Amino acid sequence: MPSPIRILLQTTIPTIADDWNISRFSMLRDYLAGLAGEDGTPLCEVTARDRVAPGGPDPVLSTIDRSDFDELWLFAVDTGDGLDPEDCAAIGRFREKGRGLLVTRDHMDLGCSVCTLGGVGAAHFFHSSHLDPDPSRRVIDDRETSDILWPNYHSGANGDFQQVTVIDPPHPVLRDREAPDGLVRYLPAHPHEGAVDAPAGDPSARVIATGVSKVSGRQFNLAVAFEPSPADGPAIAESTFHHFTDYNWDLDKGCPSFVSELPGSALAHSTEAQASIRTYVRNLALWLAGRSPDPREGELDEALDESFPASDPPAFY
């Protein structure tokens, strides 16, 4: 029986009440903690925390490579000072040990401290640092909040959901056995998502899902996957942390006072979209831990091992 996947949900700000602190990801935390394996045992063991005050290394992030966590889900909600150099170095060593990393941010420069992360940081583009090399993609789609500059993709109102396009071949985190086409098709919407892309020259990375701006009709990238290798563990770069916040899953959970955009309510009325989002989150937890999101693959592997026992020790690819 495999041990629970140890997941750290981590923001890049201290515990500030009127901000995107870790308590605003409580539905994600509870959902992951409530997942169970086929034998009924907990699938995940979840820790959720904010960082200590900036200006020095965080005691957990700066030593995470020496921890027993299997995955780090990093919600970059800072304005530039969220990660210390020692934090970044330890996170890099964490992934070098084969552990999983999810890094997500938001519009403009929100979360730009992730630029200093090796590998996955290169997948994130901002307004004032690490600019998108394609000037045509430096766009402002959201017209409702005029002070938010590019990158800024409008996938819909908070409280609504967006339909995503899965890039072939479908990545394991985007498989959904319950959906008619076998694919995850929906994620929470947000008025101003950030910009991600596969870093040039990194053969392990590719865009796995795209969305469409409700304002301009422009296609934009939602997620980039980094396949595991002998040098690094699996990783995902996401266009916005609003795919995971309480407010975007349930408007009644509330939001910081600076959120001024008019919300929608479509997600609350779509059980299909809700199920799709939950499937995606479960898939992420499994894939980042090196496990297959589809239990049938494990069953097939066991059957093959019984039929064709290996004569040599297994190789690592």
Side-chain angles (χ1 to χ4, degrees):
M1 179 177 66
S3 59
I5 301 166
R6 295 174 292 271
I7 301 175
L8 173 60
L9 306 181
Q10 172 78 50
T11 73
T12 57
I13 59 170
T15 305
I16 302 169
D18 194 26
D19 208 336
W20 296 109
N21 66 74
I22 199 63
S23 70
R24 298 190 186 276
F25 297 83
S26 66
M27 294 181 71
L28 171 69
R29 178 199 64 213
D30 293 347
Y31 174 69
L32 288 170
L35 289 172
E38 293 186 342
D39 60 356
T41 59
L43 190 63
C44 303
E45 180 181 295
V46 185
T47 300
R49 68 182 294 274
D50 295 306
R51 72 157 293 124
V52 301
D58 179 84
V60 174
L61 288 177
S62 65
T63 59
I64 193 167
D65 57 311
R66 303 197 298 272
S67 74
D68 62 357
F69 289 115
D70 299 304
E71 300 175 14
L72 168 61
W73 293 37
L74 188 65
F75 306 112
V77 296
D78 62 276
T79 56
D81 58 355
L83 294 175
D84 183 86
E86 289 187 36
D87 301 337
C88 291
I91 293 169
R93 293 191 298 269
F94 177 82
R95 190 174 167 228
E96 287 171 2
K97 291 186 175 182
R99 304 182 202 180
L101 178 62
L102 181 146
V103 179
T104 182
R105 37 70 70 86
D106 203 27
H107 61 263
M108 198 172 163
D109 285 328
L110 196 55
C112 61
S113 65
V114 304
C115 287
T116 53
L117 282 175
V120 182
H124 292 271
F125 300 115
F126 295 92
H127 187 79
S128 302
S129 58
H130 197 229
L131 274 61
D132 192 324
D134 183 352
S136 70
R137 296 189 296 196
R138 301 176 192 173
V139 296
I140 303 173
D141 279 342
D142 178 29
R143 304 291 191 267
E144 192 173 353
T145 310
S146 59
D147 60 332
I148 295 179
L149 305 179
W150 54 264
N152 175 336
Y153 294 104
H154 187 98
S155 64
N158 294 316
D160 286 342
F161 60 88
Q162 59 179 307
Q163 184 164 347
V164 305
T165 297
V166 176
I167 305 300
D168 286 330
H171 194 272
V173 301
L174 294 166
R175 296 285 190 183
D176 185 353
R177 292 174 61 185
E178 304 303 320
D181 58 359
L183 300 173
V184 168
R185 285 298 186 191
Y186 305 105
L187 286 176
H190 182 55
H192 26 74
E193 304 204 19
V196 293
D197 202 356
D202 188 340
S204 74
R206 72 178 180 96
V207 174
I208 60 171
T210 61
V212 175
S213 167
K214 296 290 182 66
V215 173
S216 66
R218 180 186 297 270
Q219 187 179 66
F220 66 97
N221 299 331
L222 291 168
V224 174
F226 293 75
E227 298 299 323
S229 72
D232 289 299
I236 296 284
E238 285 257 354
S239 58
T240 178
F241 58 79
H242 285 276
H243 295 161
F244 305 100
T245 63
D246 291 353
Y247 184 59
N248 290 84
W249 286 20
D250 180 356
L251 291 175
D252 290 339
K253 295 291 185 179
C255 60
S257 62
F258 52 76
V259 177
S260 60
E261 298 84 15
L262 292 174
S265 60
L267 182 56
H269 301 290
S270 175
T271 56
E272 182 183 4
Q274 294 169 25
S276 186
I277 293 164
R278 290 194 297 269
T279 295
Y280 178 60
V281 167
R282 181 183 182 277
N283 289 350
L284 284 172
L286 288 164
W287 185 77
L288 288 171
R291 304 184 191 181
S292 171
D294 188 343
R296 294 176 300 182
E297 292 187 12
E299 295 167 2
L300 176 60
D301 288 342
E302 291 179 7
L304 288 172
D305 287 341
E306 292 175 3
S307 300
F308 306 99
S311 57
D312 297 309
F316 179 77
Y317 293 98

